[in-house]
Amino acid sequence: MNPLLSVQDLTLLYGPDKGCQDVSFQLYPGEVLGIVGESGSGKSTLLSVLSGRTMPDRGRVVYHGRQAAGMDLYRASEAQRRALLRTEWGFVEQNPRDGLRMNVSAGANIGERLMAQGVRHYGQLRQAGLQWLKQVEIDPARIDDLPRTFSGGMQQRLQIARNLVSSPRLIFMDEPTGGLDVSVQAHLLDLLRSLVRELQLAVVIVTHDLAVARLLADRLMVMRRSRVVEAGLTDQILDDPQHAYSQLLVSSVLQP
Ligand SMILES: Nc1ncnc2c1ncn2[C@@H]1O[C@H](COP(=O)(O)OP(=O)(O)OP(=O)(O)O)[C@@H](O)[C@H]1O
């Protein structure tokens, strides 16, 4: 099986040890990779470069998509990268306001990617909207409501529906449960976990919350001061961390 994503020596530095450097890994279809580490370690920078939103100083990302046999992300045009992010990829922001269009209805938020793919039939767009609202456990009767009338958890679920409607293969998530109450977080995590499994999604998720990592990620990369200090299976890293920094990270969470 080909990896979905091959990442080699990815580096973007804003200053000494600020950003990400020399990051290499492969991500396979259906696999969930968690990026963990303290604040400022470079997690968001890495996600931004990986998803093609920011260009690296050096390094290479090759995506093996549905059609293109190996797209070299940084050699592709800006338009190609943007198209990829709207179709086979998705990006779930920490703050749903950054990932939703707040001034159009929930249904229109969901339909937008389909329209970008050429679906023009109103009934079809409406149907997809209703179906996806149901799938993310929002009452379909809210389809014509604006996202700002939704709670934070509902907005986040709507953002997920908006991303998943185009049947992406790879989703980037930046602290998707970050701004939510604990009980709302748990609900969202459950939903995310079942969607990821059901749809065989590959995910790269940034989180500083090791409980989120434990629940969702198959593998983890631990970042510190722009570098990956440890990478491996989630259970191995959380139960038996090898690097001194990972040990500190894990033990600091376990202490009350
Ligand atoms: N656009 C930028 N310009 C200058 N410096 C930046 C920029 N983006 C990030 N940095 C710096 O790079 C370092 C890594 O930041 P980054 O946001 O990637 O860390 P993080 O691990 O995601 O942190 P957090 O968990 O707090 O979001 C920080 O020192 C940050 O100040």
Side-chain angles (χ1 to χ4, degrees), residues 12-20 35-48 54 94 174-175 206-208 223 225-226:
L12 172 61
L13 287 176
Y14 293 110
D17 297 337
K18 286 191 173 154
C20 60
I35 303 174
V36 298
E38 66 195 353
S39 178
S41 55
K43 306 181 297 295
S44 299
T45 303
L46 176 58
L47 202 66
S48 172
T54 312
Q94 170 169 4
D174 196 352
E175 305 271 10
V206 161
T207 179
H208 68 272
M223 288 188 76
R225 300 176 62 187
S226 75

Side-chain angles (χ1 to χ4, degrees), residues 32 132 134-137 157 160 164 173 186-201 203 215-216:
V32 180
W132 270 100
K134 220 191 280 171
Q135 189 126 9
V136 297
E137 297 163 15
R157 280 180 274 137
I160 289 163
L164 295 188
M173 298 186 190
H187 180 196
L188 188 71
L189 273 175
D190 267 354
L191 179 72
L192 270 178
R193 194 158 70 149
S194 54
L195 285 173
V196 162
R197 290 219 179 113
E198 194 180 314
L199 304 172
Q200 280 285 295
L201 282 173
V203 179
L215 211 64
L216 286 180

Side-chain angles (χ1 to χ4, degrees), residues 33-34 36 210 213-214 218-223 228-243 245-251 254:
L33 174 70
V36 298
L210 296 186
R214 165 94 75 188
D218 303 306
R219 282 194 297 141
L220 290 184
M221 292 200 310
V222 182
M223 288 188 76
V228 174
V229 294
E230 188 166 352
L233 294 175
T234 301
D235 289 346
Q236 265 170 23
I237 290 194
L238 295 184
D239 296 338
D240 184 22
Q242 300 297 307
H243 189 279
Y245 175 71
S246 317
Q247 290 168 357
L248 195 69
L249 197 71
V250 171
S251 67
L254 295 181

Side-chain angles (χ1 to χ4, degrees), residues 63-208:
Y63 170 65
H64 296 275
R66 282 199 184 103
Q67 290 124 19
M71 172 177 171
D72 190 327
L73 191 62
Y74 308 121
R75 291 200 169 169
S77 68
E78 174 80 36
Q80 282 173 316
R81 274 194 296 274
R82 246 186 283 132
L84 192 62
L85 261 177
R86 276 200 316 260
T87 54
E88 290 186 40
W89 289 9
F91 199 111
V92 175
E93 311 272 359
Q94 170 169 4
N95 186 340
R97 278 183 194 82
D98 298 330
L100 289 174
R101 289 180 55 203
M102 299 303 281
N103 53 353
V104 303
S105 70
N109 266 285
I110 296 176
E112 193 170 326
R113 275 173 161 244
L114 291 179
M115 287 179 74
Q117 289 180 354
V119 179
R120 291 283 178 274
H121 189 270
Y122 177 76
Q124 223 173 319
L125 292 168
R126 184 97 184 154
Q127 203 47 44
L130 291 168
Q131 185 211 321
W132 270 100
L133 284 176
K134 220 191 280 171
Q135 189 126 9
V136 297
E137 297 163 15
I138 296 175
D139 180 357
R142 305 288 305 262
I143 189 164
D144 295 319
D145 294 353
L146 296 178
R148 71 175 144 74
T149 66
F150 289 5
S151 70
M154 284 166 76
Q155 287 179 1
Q156 201 55 308
R157 280 180 274 137
L158 180 63
Q159 193 192 177
I160 289 163
R162 174 178 159 88
N163 272 279
L164 295 188
V165 67
S166 62
S167 311
R169 304 186 71 197
L170 173 60
I171 302 276
F172 299 95
M173 298 186 190
D174 196 352
E175 305 271 10
T177 58
L180 304 171
D181 290 350
V182 175
S183 64
V184 179
Q185 270 189 26
H187 180 196
L188 188 71
L189 273 175
D190 267 354
L191 179 72
L192 270 178
R193 194 158 70 149
S194 54
L195 285 173
V196 162
R197 290 219 179 113
E198 194 180 314
L199 304 172
Q200 280 285 295
L201 282 173
V203 179
V204 180
I205 177 172
V206 161
T207 179
H208 68 272

